[in-house]
Amino acid sequence: MNIAVLISGGVDSAVVVHKLVEEGKHDLHLFYIQIGMDDDEGDCSAEEDIEMCTLIAKKYGLPLDVVSLHQEYWDNVMDYALRTVKAGLTPNPDMMCNLMIKFGYFEQRWGKDFDMTATGHYATTDCVGGTKYLATAVDPVKDQTDFLAQITHEQLEHVMFPIGNLPKSEVRRIAQEVKMPNAYRKDSQGICFLGQINYNDFIRRHLGVKRGPIIEIETGRKLGEHNGYWFHTIGQRKGLGLSGGPWYVVKKNIADNAIYVSNGYGTAKQYGRVLHLDEMHFISGNPWQGQEGTFEITFKNRHTPIFMPARFTHLRGSEWVIESERDVQGIAPGQFAVIYDRNHHLCYGSGVITGQKI
């Protein structure tokens, strides 16, 4: 099989290369997607990544292309992130990056020339009734299906996840055993291709600073000030600069640039059980097409190994409602809720959480 392999310089995609080479039946071509800073300057971390990718390509005698999707990334993914944040909502740039960059522009320009594209995502696929579904990884802590839940079925048909059936510990062990140059390299952190950029610095550079009050929601008492509602999200605990905590952001007033907080680990203000979704996207089609009623699911509203059991009901059009069986912390409008089957094996898709009350 002729396979395009997306590598990042990290240990996960390196082990993907090793596994596919070990199978001995594929022609592999490695690709590194380069995204620069938003000021058109280079990224020091990218230089190290490319060096690692070059060493891996040489180790296995494989071709490596460094391809640029700089403008496409900033025009699409980061534009979406900034628009969402400015609207007072919580974006998910990683999800948009997978949809639009890795499995979007890359596939349109390079991936289409190969039988499949392989990535280092912790995910799997499964075939049910002749239809290919996105499915969860063996390692629940590393599972990344929640970052893939906006991709299309056409994209899913052309992708493979060779390490999705391995726990992270085994991936690291393989890298060390075969003496990968990045075997001991730490996992990357941060937003997709933002690399080493501090998220708050990035937001400050584009949206600036606008001082506003931090208000205790129960009493209306002003506790301090913030630099702009766009720096904060519902459910946030760190970075508020308040003493006597923990304090949680429970509400934002965009018109007044006010942040409302509540005190204590157990404050009921940070929890809810009903999530209204719009723009619901089913990767492989609606599994309940033609059925009416309430369906048993599990879901996530943030990146976590915990799958929450719930009931899922169609309202109208692309609107659905999740009624969780447990309290849900930090329900943030703009963020995605990712929908799974009751056994949290198949990932059906995702929808945008709205602030609408049911």
Side-chain angles (χ1 to χ4, degrees):
M1 190 180 293
N2 199 17
I3 302 175
V5 185
L6 289 179
I7 60 173
S8 64
V11 68
D12 297 328
S13 56
V15 172
V16 165
V17 174
H18 174 76
K19 283 198 68 182
L20 292 174
V21 168
E22 285 289 286
E23 290 179 11
K25 56 184 179 181
H26 308 299
D27 290 323
L28 307 181
H29 194 121
L30 312 186
F31 289 89
Y32 175 87
I33 300 176
Q34 189 169 29
I35 304 294
M37 301 291 197
D38 54 329
D39 56 7
D40 289 325
E41 293 184 3
D43 183 346
C44 293
S45 65
E47 293 177 12
E48 185 179 339
D49 290 340
I50 293 170
E51 181 182 356
M52 288 292 177
C53 292
T54 302
L55 290 172
I56 293 163
K58 287 182 178 178
K59 177 178 175 67
Y60 291 98
L62 298 172
L64 167 67
D65 283 344
V66 177
V67 298
S68 175
L69 288 174
H70 169 88
Q71 199 60 51
E72 292 79 2
Y73 180 73
W74 292 99
D75 287 349
N76 293 275
V77 179
M78 296 322 295
D79 179 69
Y80 145 79
L82 289 168
R83 281 188 289 103
T84 304
V85 168
K86 192 171 183 179
L89 305 173
T90 301
N92 191 323
D94 290 284
M95 191 177 276
M96 288 298 124
C97 181
N98 286 322
L99 169 67
M100 305 181 78
I101 303 300
K102 293 178 183 176
F103 303 140
Y105 286 106
F106 174 81
E107 284 294 308
Q108 293 164 18
R109 295 179 189 175
W110 298 284
K112 63 179 175 56
D113 296 327
F114 296 82
D115 297 321
M116 295 289 280
T117 295
T119 78
H121 285 100
Y122 283 87
T124 61
T125 59
D126 200 355
C127 189
V128 180
T131 299
K132 187 177 181 180
Y133 281 87
L134 179 65
T136 51
V138 165
D139 190 330
V141 174
K142 297 301 295 183
D143 179 71
Q144 292 176 303
T145 50
D146 50 327
F147 294 136
L148 295 164
Q150 277 285 302
I151 66 172
T152 68
H153 190 252
E154 181 182 10
Q155 291 170 334
L156 181 66
E157 289 274 30
H158 199 254
V159 71
M160 58 195 303
F161 309 113
I163 62 169
N165 61 347
L166 298 177
K168 177 70 182 202
S169 58
E170 177 66 6
V171 170
R172 186 70 73 176
R173 187 198 65 77
I174 292 172
Q176 293 167 0
E177 182 181 89
V178 302
K179 295 181 170 55
M180 283 291 185
N182 55 5
Y184 296 94
R185 196 180 188 198
K186 291 182 178 179
D187 291 344
S188 62
Q189 301 293 326
I191 298 172
C192 196
F193 290 109
L194 271 190
Q196 303 303 312
I197 305 174
N198 178 275
Y199 180 70
N200 280 344
D201 289 345
F202 168 75
I203 296 297
R204 184 178 291 107
R205 184 158 67 244
H206 287 273
L207 299 183
V209 170
K210 184 179 180 182
R211 301 290 285 176
I214 300 176
I215 300 170
E216 185 174 24
I217 194 167
E218 291 87 354
T219 65
R221 179 169 58 106
K222 180 180 175 180
L223 303 175
E225 291 193 335
H226 60 84
N227 289 323
Y229 63 80
W230 42 76
F231 289 103
H232 303 284
T233 187
I234 304 298
Q236 177 182 336
R237 179 167 71 89
K238 298 180 179 179
L240 293 169
L242 301 176
S243 61
W247 294 94
Y248 290 88
V249 176
V250 295
K251 181 182 176 183
K252 296 193 287 187
N253 185 319
I254 307 308
D256 296 336
N257 189 31
I259 299 294
Y260 291 87
V261 298
S262 186
N263 184 259
Y265 288 107
T267 173
K269 295 288 185 181
Q270 64 163 313
Y271 295 99
R273 290 201 174 192
V274 178
L275 296 81
H276 179 273
L277 307 187
D278 203 352
E279 302 175 45
M280 184 62 208
H281 166 68
F282 291 105
I283 300 169
S284 301
N286 182 350
W288 307 289
Q289 188 67 44
Q291 302 179 47
E292 295 185 2
T294 296
F295 310 104
E296 301 292 317
I297 64 162
T298 52
F299 76 98
K300 295 182 184 182
N301 68 315
R302 62 183 67 250
H303 185 55
T304 169
I306 300 171
F307 297 84
M308 304 282 279
R311 294 175 297 280
F312 196 44
T313 307
H314 183 220
L315 297 180
R316 65 194 73 83
S318 62
E319 295 179 63
W320 292 71
V321 62
I322 296 172
E323 297 172 274
S324 176
E325 294 178 13
R326 306 174 191 161
D327 290 339
V328 183
Q329 193 264 339
I331 300 172
Q335 186 59 280
F336 289 89
V338 182
I339 310 302
Y340 300 85
D341 66 12
R342 195 65 173 186
N343 297 320
H344 44 83
H345 172 59
L346 300 179
C347 178
Y348 290 139
S350 59
V352 181
I353 300 172
T354 75
Q356 184 173 332
K357 302 295 183 183
I358 306 300

